Amino acid sequence: MKILFIGDIVSKPGKDTVIQLLPQLKIDQSIDLVIANAENVTQGRGASADDVSDLVNAGVDFFTSGDHIFWQKNTDNYIESLPVVIPANYPAKIPGKRFGIVKDTLIINVKKETLSSISKKLYSNFSPVFLAISIIPNPLPPLRDLIPLFNIDL
């Protein structure tokens, strides 16, 4: 399986570039799965449902995120309905999917903190990797791939 991971898509220029280039890139490179980080796609702060939908229509299959995902107003009301994973090591009270399974691939995202003050309020003290492993469903459906992602603010 050919997987393309697109890093942080930032604001309108980033979104427009992905929308313009991704459809043909998927054809030219025979890409099977596209994952992108969407936490800054809407005005550089968070991800609106409309912006995520536009990127899905362009060919992105699933999204990762970090602490910036919640900067848009009312994100809590729609985050569960989007093809987006939030860091698995965020406390249970924070809404959002801790893992995703798309095209027989398990996607899990772990957040490690260094400087982000918003994230320090959200971050769990548990070891990020062990916590992430603990939320993976058991038994798992048959999978082709496992994609662990580490989101680190420097």
Side-chain angles (χ1 to χ4, degrees):
M1 175 183 286
K2 278 185 129 175
I3 300 170
L4 171 65
F5 182 81
I6 302 170
D8 209 351
I9 301 172
V10 180
S11 297
K12 187 172 178 6
K15 181 181 124 178
D16 290 348
T17 300
V18 171
I19 289 170
Q20 179 184 1
L21 298 178
L22 183 59
Q24 191 61 47
L25 183 65
K26 285 179 72 171
I27 293 167
D28 293 347
Q29 299 299 318
S30 302
I31 295 169
D32 302 302
L33 174 64
V34 178
I35 303 165
N37 184 297
E39 70 176 313
N40 291 305
V41 71
T42 303
Q43 301 170 346
R45 293 180 164 248
S48 71
D50 288 342
D51 284 339
V52 169
S53 178
D54 290 345
L55 290 164
V56 167
N57 291 335
V60 178
D61 297 298
F62 215 82
F63 300 87
T64 63
S65 68
D67 57 322
H68 301 170
I69 195 75
F70 294 103
W71 286 7
Q72 287 295 305
K73 186 177 180 181
N74 299 320
T75 304
D76 294 1
N77 296 337
Y78 60 81
I79 190 73
E80 293 278 350
S81 67
L82 300 178
V84 174
V85 289
I86 67 165
N89 54 321
Y90 276 6
K93 67 182 179 182
I94 306 297
K97 298 177 192 81
R98 296 324 195 259
F99 66 91
I101 298 175
V102 61
K103 297 186 180 182
D104 298 328
T105 301
L106 175 68
I107 301 165
I108 192 161
N109 184 27
V110 177
K111 179 80 173 158
K112 175 63 179 141
E113 298 314 315
T114 55
L115 298 177
S116 175
S117 61
I118 292 174
S119 293
K120 286 180 181 171
K121 294 176 185 173
L122 300 174
Y123 182 67
S124 170
N125 289 324
F126 293 105
S127 166
V129 174
F130 290 117
L131 183 61
I133 291 169
S134 74
I135 62 105
I136 296 173
N138 187 12
L140 275 172
L143 297 173
R144 268 180 90 161
D145 293 294
L146 165 64
I147 302 179
L149 301 164
F150 297 91
N151 186 324
I152 301 172
D153 287 339
L154 300 176

